[in-house]
């Protein structure tokens, strides 16, 4: 990562993948099992509005849409968004290039389901609170945030390069922005390294 460019390196990576110089970053053929299992247990989306943060190449967004959510998905990398659109030409997902740190005002508290998977942990820790606040602020009253991040013990030092895993206090801190925690779990079986799967809701006032 270059100094002063906390997010530009993602586009560089995806562009390198596009040119065939490296494997496409974060390329998965299947939705993340921690998302898939949780979402299938929720029942159908019934045309409610969902947004997938840092959607990369789109596989999770496609899955969310297939569960019946009216789905928006965004990434800071233009190349990632273009590649997702090309991979899924008939997709109902509204793919957008956007920066989670500067989101369109019309997205504020506009989504019944917000999905955040291992994006904030890839940003410098100095931006973590701002990113957590921005993602939490997407959730509408009565809506749900699902956040999945790598986990660290409080005593573990932060690595000197990304990803920077979340402590328990950090994963709980989505609740500092008008959300209430529903569950904060560390599912045993799938993710290596271990990951938090945390669910929050914005209470209806
Ligand atoms: C570690 S990858 C994870 C991708 C995907 N969520 C997954 O689970 O495979 C982080 C993603 O976040 C995107 N990203 C980084 N900074 C961002 C920002 N400020 N706003 C939106 N997306 C961002 C990157 O381009 C990249 O696609």
């Amino acid at each position: 990562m270059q100094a002063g460019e906390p997010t530009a390196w993602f586009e560089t990576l995806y562009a390198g993948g596009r040119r065939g110089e490296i494997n496409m970053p974060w390329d998965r053929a299947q939705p993340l099992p921690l998302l898939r299992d949780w979402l299938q247990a929720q029942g159908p989306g019934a045309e409610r509005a969902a947004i997938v943060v840092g959607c990369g190449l789109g596989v999770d967004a496609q899955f969310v849409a297939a569960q019946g959510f009216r789905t928006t998905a965004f990434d800071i990398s233009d190349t990632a968004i273009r590649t997702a659109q090309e991979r899924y030409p008939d997709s109902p997902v509204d793919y957008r290039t956007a920066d989670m740190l500067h989101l369109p005002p019309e997205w504020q508290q506009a989504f019944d389901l917000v999905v955040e998977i291992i994006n904030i942990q890839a940003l410098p820790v100095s931006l973590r609170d701002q990113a957590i606040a921005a993602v939490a602020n997407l959730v509408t009253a009565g809506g749900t945030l699902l956040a999945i991040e790598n986990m660290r013990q409080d005593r573990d030092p932060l690595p000197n390069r990304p990803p920077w895993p979340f402590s328990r206090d950090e994963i709980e801190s989505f609740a500092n922005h008008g959300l209430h925690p529903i569950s904060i779990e560390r599912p045993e079986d799938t993710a290596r390294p271990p990951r938090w799967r945390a669910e929050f809701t914005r209470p209806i006032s």
Side-chain angles (χ1 to χ4, degrees):
M1 180 176 34
Q2 292 173 19
E5 296 204 334
T7 52
W9 61 278
F10 295 101
E11 173 59 26
T12 305
L13 272 187
Y14 282 114
R18 181 95 181 177
R19 291 192 298 269
E21 295 166 2
I22 55 170
N23 290 333
M24 262 295 181
W26 305 292
D27 196 358
R28 286 188 273 112
Q30 300 295 328
L32 194 76
L34 290 182
L35 166 68
R36 182 200 60 209
D37 297 349
W38 178 86
L39 198 51
Q40 283 177 336
Q42 304 298 307
E47 285 297 310
R48 285 173 295 160
I51 190 160
V52 179
V53 176
C55 62
L57 302 173
V59 66
D60 292 330
Q62 291 296 124
F63 181 73
V64 170
Q67 305 313 300
F69 287 89
R70 236 175 339 106
T71 305
T72 302
F74 73 96
D75 200 283
I76 199 164
S77 165
D78 241 337
T79 300
I81 292 300
R82 196 154 41 98
T83 307
Q85 287 168 329
E86 287 173 8
R87 282 190 178 185
Y88 307 107
D90 302 321
S91 176
V93 175
D94 182 8
Y95 283 106
R96 306 277 195 94
T97 302
D99 180 351
M100 74 172 96
L101 302 174
H102 301 97
L103 290 172
E106 64 271 22
W107 286 2
Q108 306 306 310
Q109 301 195 17
F111 296 93
D112 301 292
L113 173 64
V114 177
V115 175
E116 151 57 27
I117 301 177
I118 66 166
N119 304 308
I120 299 176
Q121 67 177 38
L123 299 181
V125 175
S126 60
L127 297 174
R128 182 160 291 182
D129 285 347
Q130 190 187 342
I132 286 173
V135 168
N137 201 32
L138 292 166
V139 183
T140 194
T144 300
L145 164 67
L146 181 72
I148 295 172
E149 310 287 351
N150 289 7
M151 185 233 136
R152 71 181 167 93
Q153 304 287 353
D154 289 338
R155 64 178 180 276
D156 293 344
L158 277 168
N160 55 13
R161 49 181 295 179
W164 291 284
F166 276 48
S167 67
R168 175 138 204 137
D169 282 353
E170 288 169 324
I171 197 77
E172 286 178 350
S173 73
F174 283 99
N176 297 345
H177 304 280
L179 304 183
H180 282 193
I182 301 296
S183 71
I184 296 184
E185 47 173 353
R186 289 171 43 197
E188 287 297 324
D189 51 349
T190 45
R192 285 172 213 273
R195 285 180 173 165
W196 299 112
R197 179 170 61 187
E199 178 184 344
F200 301 84
T201 188
R202 181 179 299 283
I204 299 170
S205 50

